[in-house]
Amino acid sequence: FRKTKADEIDRVMEILFDGKASLKALGIDQWQGDGYPARDIVAGDVESGTSYVVEDAAGHLAATCMVSFAGEPDYDEIEGTWLTEGASSDPSYAVVHRVAVAADSTGKGAARFMLTSAERIAAECGARSVRVDTHPGNVPMLRLIASCGFTECGIIRIKHAEGLTPDRVAFEKLV
C-alpha cells in the first residue's frame, strides 16, 4: 500500500473502470453516470498525495483508493450518529473514497488490505477514526466494511449523484 505515482494514473483509471463494471454487474447505479470518477479527479488525488494503490508481489497494481484528512462535506449531515464528533470544516477523521479492485485481483484480499492500511495511516497521522460509505446495494462492500470492524452509523446523501441514487450507508471505525 503506497501513494500513487503520476505515471500510474492510466492504470488507476483501468482499475476504476473494473470497479464500475463490477457495480454495473450488481445492478448498482453508483459510478454509472457521467464518467465519475473522472481522470481529473484521480490526477488531483495524485497531486494532493491522497491517491493510494495496492501493489501485489509481482509489482502489479491491484487496487486503488483515496485517503484524505481534509474532511467530507457530505458527512456533515447524517441520518444516524457518527462515533466521533467532527465536521468537515475541522475533521478529526480520515475518509476513504474511490475504492476499487482490478478484475484480475478480486478475491485476493486487496480491498481488506486497503482498509486496514487506511486505518494505520489514520492512526499515524493522529486521526481519531476512519469513515467510509458505500451504496446500499453494494452487498460485497457492505460485508467487507463490517467484517473489518467498522460500525454502521447511518445514511448520508452525496451531492454529486447526478440523478442516480444519492443514499450511502456510512460507517466509522475508531483508530
Side-chain angles (χ1 to χ4, degrees), residues 44-130:
D45 292 347
V46 172
E47 186 175 320
S48 67
T50 60
S51 179
Y52 289 84
V53 291
V54 171
E55 191 175 294
D56 67 18
H60 176 75
L61 297 189
T64 186
C65 71
M66 183 275 276
V67 180
S68 173
F69 298 92
E72 171 53 69
D74 287 339
Y75 289 179
D76 288 346
E77 294 180 29
I78 184 170
E79 286 181 13
T81 306
W82 292 112
L83 300 178
T84 62
E85 296 291 323
S88 62
S89 60
D90 186 25
S92 60
Y93 59 87
V95 62
V96 179
H97 283 316
R98 294 187 274 289
V99 174
V101 177
D104 61 357
S105 296
T106 57
K108 297 179 181 178
R112 179 177 303 280
F113 182 67
M114 278 193 297
L115 287 178
T116 58
S117 297
E119 293 170 33
R120 177 183 49 77
I121 289 169
E124 289 171 358
C125 291
R128 295 176 54 211
S129 66
V130 176

Side-chain angles (χ1 to χ4, degrees), residues 15 24-26 34 77 81-82 86 102-104 108 111 125 137 139 147 160 167 169 175:
I15 295 169
K24 186 174 184 176
L26 290 169
D34 65 350
E77 294 180 29
T81 306
W82 292 112
D104 61 357
K108 297 179 181 178
C125 291
V139 175
S147 74
H160 62 70
D167 293 357
V169 182
V175 294

Side-chain angles (χ1 to χ4, degrees), residues 139-163:
V139 175
M141 188 64 169
L142 290 167
R143 286 183 186 147
L144 171 69
I145 294 168
S147 74
C148 287
F150 283 75
T151 299
E152 184 175 327
C153 295
I155 300 293
I156 58 106
R157 287 184 179 76
I158 58 169
K159 292 173 184 57
H160 62 70
E162 284 86 27

